[in-house]
Amino acid sequence: MLIGNLDKDTEVTIHVTDGIKAVQLNSQVLDLSKTDRQAGMEAAKKMDYQSFIGIKAIRVGDRFVSFSSENITCTITALKNNKPYSWKNVKIVRQTLPEQGTIHMVLSNDDMGSFNRRNEYRLFLGQEGICRFGDSTEFRNIIIKDISCSGLGLIVGKSDHIEMQSGMEIEVQFVEQSSDGNSRKYTLNGKIVRYVAMGNDRELVGCKLSGRHPELEKMIYEKQRQTMTTSHKPQVKRGTTKELARDLAALSAQDPKES
């Protein structure tokens, strides 16, 4: 997918690093008018780019952030149809459009596929939850080891004396905190497909989920997007992310070419 296919109002995350310091910045894809889109496309072609998005201009304090330094690299990640996409080494410039005014343009010629094409990214949770097994009406305490869009792994105590069987139906409930700080309860149904003793009087139980769970998929993709955004972040000293943000803002005052 080309970066220009991102929908308006899509939240984007920009990971910026100079190899020593790193900072994560957030913005949103703008809904550009026909006039502004044409102006943006003309500017993009002058820089040898065929695809771009306009995002809300990013500021640090009262200064626009500048991405013009040759010493930095930028990666942008975003969701499209609840799937995460990532574009590396994008070019980001400040641009003044006829109607929208000052924005940041993100430019890339890369046609990227989702970095989770098969929907089988497994997210480690280590999360407490409860589970109902088979025909039982009683919920037992379990640990959700990991989860994907189509299955999950549970850690169950043998002391619960549950007679595991392949094909046994389950109902799992757990609460997870989202990126906006709100908590969401998930209720998932599925079947046991495998189980194996782990030692320490515990069993690892693999389960296949029944049907699709859009809210679960959204949570997993968002967690994966965050992981992909920060997976290459270098080890930095405390406070250096703020220093890099200030450096980027200061560049704007030094580089009149970008406006």
Side-chain angles (χ1 to χ4, degrees), residues 33-53:
S33 67
K34 184 177 180 180
T35 299
D36 283 350
R37 182 161 294 280
Q38 181 62 36
M41 184 56 69
E42 291 175 0
K45 287 182 177 179
K46 288 180 180 178
M47 292 179 280
D48 295 323
Y49 287 93
Q50 301 301 314
S51 189
F52 79 96
I53 53 172

Side-chain angles (χ1 to χ4, degrees), residues 14-67:
I14 304 167
H15 178 246
V16 188
T17 180
D18 62 2
I20 301 173
K21 301 185 289 287
V23 65
Q24 182 172 299
L25 304 168
N26 299 299
S27 189
Q28 191 176 56
V29 178
L30 294 167
D31 183 15
L32 299 181
S33 67
K34 184 177 180 180
T35 299
D36 283 350
R37 182 161 294 280
Q38 181 62 36
M41 184 56 69
E42 291 175 0
K45 287 182 177 179
K46 288 180 180 178
M47 292 179 280
D48 295 323
Y49 287 93
Q50 301 301 314
S51 189
F52 79 96
I53 53 172
I55 62 174
K56 290 183 178 179
I58 301 172
R59 297 171 181 260
V60 174
D62 60 351
R63 291 181 176 177
F64 291 106
V65 167
S66 171
F67 301 89

Side-chain angles (χ1 to χ4, degrees), residues 65-220:
V65 167
S66 171
F67 301 89
S68 62
S69 172
E70 295 180 358
N71 298 323
I72 65 171
T73 57
C74 302
T75 298
I76 186 169
T77 58
L79 296 178
K80 171 80 171 182
N81 297 327
N82 282 340
K83 293 185 178 182
Y85 291 80
S86 182
W87 289 266
K88 296 181 180 179
N89 295 319
V90 296
K91 184 177 181 66
I92 305 177
V93 299
R94 197 168 81 249
Q95 185 75 24
T96 300
L97 299 179
E99 297 179 9
Q100 187 72 45
T102 301
I103 68 166
H104 273 111
M105 287 178 60
V106 183
L107 306 107
S108 174
N109 286 329
D110 293 336
D111 189 354
M112 303 302 296
S114 167
F115 53 73
N116 189 22
R117 293 176 184 173
R118 298 182 181 179
N119 295 344
E120 287 304 322
Y121 172 78
R122 298 195 72 83
L123 172 69
F124 174 79
L125 279 185
Q127 174 80 22
E128 293 182 352
I130 57 174
C131 182
R132 183 177 60 80
F133 294 87
D135 296 330
S136 174
T137 58
E138 183 180 358
F139 281 86
R140 307 294 182 95
N141 294 324
I142 49 95
I143 298 293
I144 303 169
K145 176 180 176 287
D146 51 37
I147 194 165
S148 73
C149 294
S150 61
L152 70 165
L154 308 178
I155 297 176
V156 182
K158 286 185 178 180
S159 58
D160 286 329
H161 304 295
I162 300 169
E163 294 185 8
M164 300 293 177
Q165 297 179 14
S166 294
M168 175 183 284
E169 295 186 353
I170 60 159
E171 179 183 333
V172 175
Q173 296 180 9
F174 69 97
V175 175
E176 177 69 11
Q177 190 173 54
S178 60
S179 57
D180 59 9
N182 295 320
S183 296
R184 182 178 182 86
K185 179 181 178 181
Y186 294 88
T187 300
L188 308 174
N189 295 288
K191 293 182 178 180
I192 294 174
V193 294
R194 71 181 74 85
Y195 49 94
V196 61
M198 293 180 64
N200 296 324
D201 198 32
R202 296 183 300 175
E203 286 184 293
L204 177 61
V205 183
C207 306
K208 182 177 181 180
L209 296 178
S210 302
R212 285 192 58 194
H213 299 269
E215 289 300 322
L216 174 69
E217 293 177 10
K218 183 177 180 181
M219 183 268 284
I220 291 174

